[in-house]
């Protein structure tokens, strides 16, 4: 089977490619990645000699047409992925998340190739802290940020191509991922690398916002379960019952580093900051038999801390610029 992985040099995509090479030696992997500020070829070093890497954009219709035409399956991770950046400049979000997905859909339609679209729980908006309901595939779309609205738009394009053109496609909407190779702009790696540097973690606002954490390997195992056994045209929500407020995550990290529980700073809140995400993944669990392996969040965080300690040469080159950008925003 020949698989085209878009965004395979990013956080989740690189983990997906590494897992695929190790667990499915029969699969032939080609990565298409534009190597934006978020992409890093070094994240594919452990499998570099076992994959084909193509540097290019998913908005390049001729390139996409050729690569899709040589594939049996496309797994589409490529995106602009950071909410804070989308508040600063939404333009690349519209280009990559909307135009890029459209470009892929047209090629997949032409060549009749199976497509899996990676999306986010943020398309559903946010929940109150005490809301007993969680997101399900029936929850209406209500995105808040330029990032989540472009992801929502890309999901709707996929749904329309399924209905109008009979595309063999599935969609997954996953909650917040953590694990190795995540860019230091994101919450958990930012705080881990701050703590390694002896800097206090930075909490937006009061730190009461809730995210539903899942280890990246569990996300990727779910993606393969959907590709293997999912029904075309369906949406599957991926989550591992990992709700935590940001303050709780920071306190766990402080404990892992042997620091006092209040040794953090409150910084400016994110405008329009979604309060809470929570996933009901029962369809995925019941229909496809998927279960997460990382059920102990603290143990998963400890392993992630160890990875950042052992791979300082991977994250160090980006750290100062990320912190300078946050500092300019009072974050
Ligand atoms: P990331 O920012 O770490 O990686 C994105 C990758 O896409 C990078 O390698 C980048 O170079 C590449 N890319 C960007 N624009 C491109 C373009 N025009 N053409 C080709 N490649 C391009 O993101 P991530 O956290 O790994 O997220 C991957 C996917 O998973 C995204 O679709 C995101 O919306 C989704 N998702 C992420 C999370 C999360 O917690 N990180 C949760 C749910 C869903
Ligand atoms: O320094 C920080 N302090 C802080 O309190 C940062 C960077 C973030 N936060 C808060 C904001 C959020 O409530 O932590 C939470 C997580 O923030 P992010 O890592 O930026 O993730 P989020 O905005 O929740 O979006 C993530 O999950 C869904 C991914 O970045 C998206 O790509 C995915 O779709």
């Amino acid at each position: 089977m020949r698989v085209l992985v878009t965004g395979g040099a990013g956080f989740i995509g690189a983990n997906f490619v590494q897992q695929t090479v190790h667990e499915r030696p029969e699969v032939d992997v080609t990565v298409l990645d534009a190597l934006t500020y978020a992409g890093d070829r070094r994240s594919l070093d452990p499998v570099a000699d076992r994959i084909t890497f193509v540097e290019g954009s998913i908005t390049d219709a001729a390139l996409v047409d050729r690569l899709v035409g040589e594939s049996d399956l496309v797994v589409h991770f490529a995106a602009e992925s950071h909410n804070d950046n989308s508040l600063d400049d939404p333009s690349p979000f519209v280009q990559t998340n909307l135009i890029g997905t459209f470009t892929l859909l047209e090629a997949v339609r032409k060549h009749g190739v199976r497509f899996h679209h990676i999306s986010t729980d943020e398309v559903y908006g946010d929940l109150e802290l005490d809301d007993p309901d969680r997101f399900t595939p029936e929850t209406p779309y209500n995105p808040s940020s330029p990032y989540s609205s472009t992801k929502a738009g890309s999901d709707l394009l996929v749904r329309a191509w399924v209905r109008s053109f009979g595309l063999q496609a599935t969609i997954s909407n996953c909650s917040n991922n953590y694990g190795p190779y995540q860019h230091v702009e994101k919450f958990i790696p930012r705080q881990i690398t701050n703590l390694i540097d002896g800097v206090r973690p930075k909490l937006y606002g009061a730190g009461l916002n809730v995210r539903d954490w899942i280890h990246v390997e569990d996300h990727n195992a779910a993606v393969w379960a959907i590709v293997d056994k999912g029904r075309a045209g369906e949406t599957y929500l991926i989550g591992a019952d990992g709700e935590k407020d940001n303050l709780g995550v920071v306190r766990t990290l402080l404990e892992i580093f042997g620091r006092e529980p209040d040794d953090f700073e409150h910084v400016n809140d994110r405008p329009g900051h979604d309060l809470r995400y929570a996933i009901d993944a029962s369809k995925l669990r019941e229909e496809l038999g998927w279960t997460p392996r990382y059920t102990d969040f603290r143990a998963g965080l400890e392993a992630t801390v160890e990875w950042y300690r052992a791979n300082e040469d991977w994250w160090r080159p980006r750290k100062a610029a990320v912190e300078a950008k946050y500092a300019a925003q009072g974050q």
Side-chain angles (χ1 to χ4, degrees), residues 51-97:
I51 63 167
T52 304
F53 183 87
V54 179
E55 183 176 346
S57 175
I58 56 167
T59 59
D60 178 340
L63 176 64
V64 163
D65 182 74
R66 176 171 69 77
L67 294 174
V68 168
E70 294 165 358
S71 307
D72 304 303
L73 163 72
V74 176
V75 183
H76 173 36
F77 291 93
E80 285 291 335
S81 70
H82 194 39
N83 275 298
D84 291 324
N85 292 344
S86 80
L87 300 170
D88 204 30
D89 178 11
S91 161
F93 290 76
V94 171
Q95 286 304 320
T96 290
N97 301 356

Side-chain angles (χ1 to χ4, degrees), residues 22 24 40 58-61 89 97 134 158 160 175 199 210 218 220 327:
H22 291 131
R24 298 182 177 232
D40 193 334
I58 56 167
T59 59
D60 178 340
D89 178 11
N97 301 356
R134 300 186 290 172
V158 178
S175 60
V199 172
V210 171
D218 284 329
N220 286 329

Side-chain angles (χ1 to χ4, degrees), residues 191-207:
Q191 313 315 335
I192 292 175
T193 54
N194 278 349
L195 284 162
I196 290 173
D197 282 347
V199 172
R200 298 165 91 192
K202 319 271 188 198
L203 269 180
Y204 290 178

